Amino acid sequence: MKRLAFSLLALALSIPLLANDSMYYTLGNQLVPLQATDIRLQREVLTITLLNDGFAQVDVFYELNNQGEERTITMGFEADAPYMGEDFSPDGVHPHIKGFNVEINGATLTYHNALVRLGAIDDDGRLVTLNPNQWKEPSGDEDFYDALLYNVALDSTVQYAYAYYFDAHFKKGMNVVRHSYRYRVGVVAGEAFFLDYKLTPALRWKGGQIDDFTLIIRADQTFKHFIVKDTPFGSHPAWTISGIGKQRTRQYSYEAFVREGEGGNDVIETVTEYATEFALRNAEARLHITGFRPAAELDIRSGDTYIYREGEEGMYGIAASYDPGMPGLSQFYYIEQVPIVNGKPLSKQRIQRNLPFAARGYVFKDKQLAAYFSNIWWYMPDPTYKADVTKLIEKEQEWIYFIDHPDEE
């Protein structure tokens, strides 16, 4: 995985580079100053709402204490280009960011858009922007996939990003900044969705920490099964859940490149990490930390991510995850064998058809289905729930119709 680092930019985004069959859109971050400052980040509440339309809603509340004189600081949200240059926008408006909004002390700020040379800042601490007419797609496909564009003025190919930048006036003392936007989540083979969100830029504020930090991940009027890496928060983060939900600690391992060894051979080591796995239905998971110095970036993955890679006992050959917003993808795809339940085969189609109802807690009267889903960790029975196809979201209704009518195109 490759991450792009930015020493000064506000809201700088990262793109992990994985297999060619992946799609990547914009990923999230948080506000930091472009210039050296006496402003201290005293409180932050970061709320990420996982939606069923392929997007996530991000809402951030900041309390910043300006311990110096009042000043105006140029701040910027820099969003990496989508994977493979998809939907290139020469005017600097990112093709997959919706509803961008920022305000300070109750006043909504006007922002500007531009294509920028990634990570470049001028002598005044501002984003380096270039005339859109000076940008051209490079002739090499590899350059375009790596978010490189040819710039006429520089006579070179440079890495580019989309910038949303604005001037924020900080009065002396406490200032309140609110920031929100919707962005499309990433999708990769083996995962229904993933979200990466940079936390470490908060270390650039005065004091090098967030004095009081709260992270909220919401599944409002929906079901979500996902995993959050523990790395940014230290060992055994103290999550709490409000609403219908559960959590557990997961350990997983993977092979990672360390360095190039003798004779040009790659040195590979096994890395073991820990994560917290969640199943939420109309609920939220909350983490509160004081004196927070993030050790890494926030990494949220759909629950099928490590289940499919490592396997899990009692899953009868099906990837034990489900996301109502992404039917037809990973949660339905990885059924490798006909499961045997109560000594008899249980058809894959019956499992697939009943996943939307299991996610809502339907108590199955069929003994085979009841036995199957009782072994799925994320299943949380709700005796009050009545199954009704017409009340499922449109994608789920379409999926069930496809299961019931396999001969129709």
Side-chain angles (χ1 to χ4, degrees):
M1 180 176 290
K2 175 184 176 184
R3 291 188 181 276
L4 304 175
F6 312 100
S7 59
L8 293 175
L9 285 172
L11 289 170
L13 298 169
S14 66
I15 284 186
L17 302 177
L18 296 174
N20 290 331
D21 59 354
S22 304
M23 292 188 300
Y24 301 94
Y25 298 91
T26 180
L27 309 174
N29 201 325
Q30 65 183 36
L31 291 166
V32 296
L34 289 174
Q35 299 98 336
T37 178
D38 293 328
I39 299 176
R40 189 179 188 96
L41 181 49
Q42 291 195 181
R43 184 181 177 213
E44 175 181 348
V45 180
L46 167 62
T47 303
I48 298 177
T49 304
L50 303 175
L51 306 173
N52 285 335
D53 59 358
F55 283 80
Q57 174 70 33
V58 177
D59 296 280
V60 196
F61 171 88
Y62 304 93
E63 288 181 349
L64 301 110
N65 189 354
N66 179 13
Q67 298 172 344
E69 297 299 318
E70 66 177 77
R71 68 191 66 188
T72 298
I73 296 177
T74 299
M75 307 180 76
F77 173 99
E78 184 179 299
D80 281 355
Y83 180 64
M84 297 175 63
E86 184 180 55
D87 299 330
F88 174 67
S89 177
D91 59 4
V93 178
H94 197 286
H96 302 299
I97 291 177
K98 309 296 181 184
F100 183 89
N101 182 72
V102 63
E103 61 181 54
I104 182 169
N105 299 325
T108 300
L109 301 182
T110 300
Y111 62 87
H112 306 279
N113 293 97
L115 288 176
V116 298
R117 184 179 181 182
L118 200 59
I121 302 174
D122 64 21
D123 292 338
D124 295 324
R126 295 177 179 271
L127 297 167
V128 173
T129 62
L130 295 171
N131 190 311
N133 296 328
Q134 296 176 330
W135 295 93
K136 293 183 179 180
E137 295 179 15
S139 57
D141 289 342
E142 183 177 349
D143 286 342
F144 194 45
Y145 296 163
D146 290 339
L148 296 176
L149 288 178
Y150 177 76
N151 185 264
V152 177
L154 298 176
D155 192 24
S156 66
T157 301
V158 298
Q159 199 159 36
Y160 77 99
Y162 295 91
Y164 294 64
Y165 61 99
F166 43 86
D167 289 334
H169 183 77
F170 285 83
K171 64 184 181 181
K172 293 182 66 174
M174 193 64 68
N175 294 262
V176 173
V177 174
R178 297 177 185 272
H179 185 245
S180 63
Y181 58 96
R182 295 173 72 246
Y183 66 94
R184 189 180 296 277
V185 298
V187 179
V188 63
E191 300 175 4
F193 65 87
F194 69 89
L195 313 175
D196 287 348
Y197 185 104
K198 273 183 174 280
L199 295 169
T200 57
L203 300 175
R204 302 172 193 151
W205 292 101
K206 182 177 177 64
Q209 68 176 29
I210 306 171
D211 294 344
D212 188 289
F213 174 75
T214 301
L215 171 61
I216 302 170
I217 304 177
R218 303 180 62 199
D220 187 21
Q221 302 301 312
T222 186
F223 167 83
K224 292 292 177 179
H225 177 208
F226 58 94
I227 295 171
V228 181
K229 287 187 178 182
D230 292 350
T231 313
F233 315 111
S235 59
H236 309 298
W239 290 92
T240 59
I241 294 177
S242 299
I244 302 171
K246 59 171 67 174
Q247 62 174 293
R248 64 178 176 178
T249 299
R250 293 292 302 267
Q251 176 182 328
Y252 55 94
S253 301
Y254 58 92
E255 301 298 315
F257 170 80
V258 178
R259 65 181 181 278
E260 186 174 310
E262 296 182 3
N265 296 322
D266 291 344
V267 177
I268 305 295
E269 292 183 358
T270 300
V271 177
T272 299
E273 294 184 339
Y274 293 88
T276 305
E277 182 177 8
F278 296 92
L280 303 180
R281 185 170 66 236
N282 302 331
E284 67 178 36
R286 180 182 294 255
L287 179 64
H288 179 246
I289 304 174
T290 56
F292 180 44
R293 298 174 180 265
E297 314 303 355
L298 178 62
D299 189 319
I300 304 174
R301 306 270 158 168
S302 56
D304 49 358
T305 302
Y306 300 108
I307 291 172
Y308 173 64
R309 293 179 183 177
E310 295 184 349
E312 183 161 329
E313 294 180 2
M315 294 306 145
Y316 308 109
I318 184 175
S321 187
Y322 177 73
D323 184 80
M326 306 295 285
L329 295 177
S330 57
Q331 70 275 17
F332 296 128
Y333 184 72
Y334 300 114
I335 304 179
E336 299 174 351
Q337 61 190 34
V338 175
I340 304 299
V341 183
N342 294 343
K344 298 186 297 184
L346 175 61
S347 75
K348 302 174 186 178
Q349 289 75 19
R350 289 188 68 201
I351 296 171
Q352 293 169 334
R353 191 186 192 284
N354 284 284
L355 280 167
F357 306 111
R360 290 163 172 80
Y362 180 71
V363 177
F364 293 93
K365 300 178 179 63
D366 182 277
K367 292 183 178 180
Q368 268 197 305
L369 289 172
Y372 178 85
F373 284 108
S374 68
N375 282 298
I376 300 297
W377 178 79
W378 53 255
Y379 176 63
M380 298 175 289
D382 177 6
T384 67
Y385 173 69
K386 306 298 181 184
D388 186 346
V389 174
T390 64
K391 294 184 178 180
L392 301 178
I393 67 173
E394 184 177 355
K395 290 181 180 179
E396 292 174 307
Q397 293 185 43
E398 291 173 352
W399 173 252
I400 287 179
Y401 185 88
F402 171 78
I403 292 294
D404 291 344
H405 304 82
D407 297 329
E408 294 185 18
E409 295 184 1

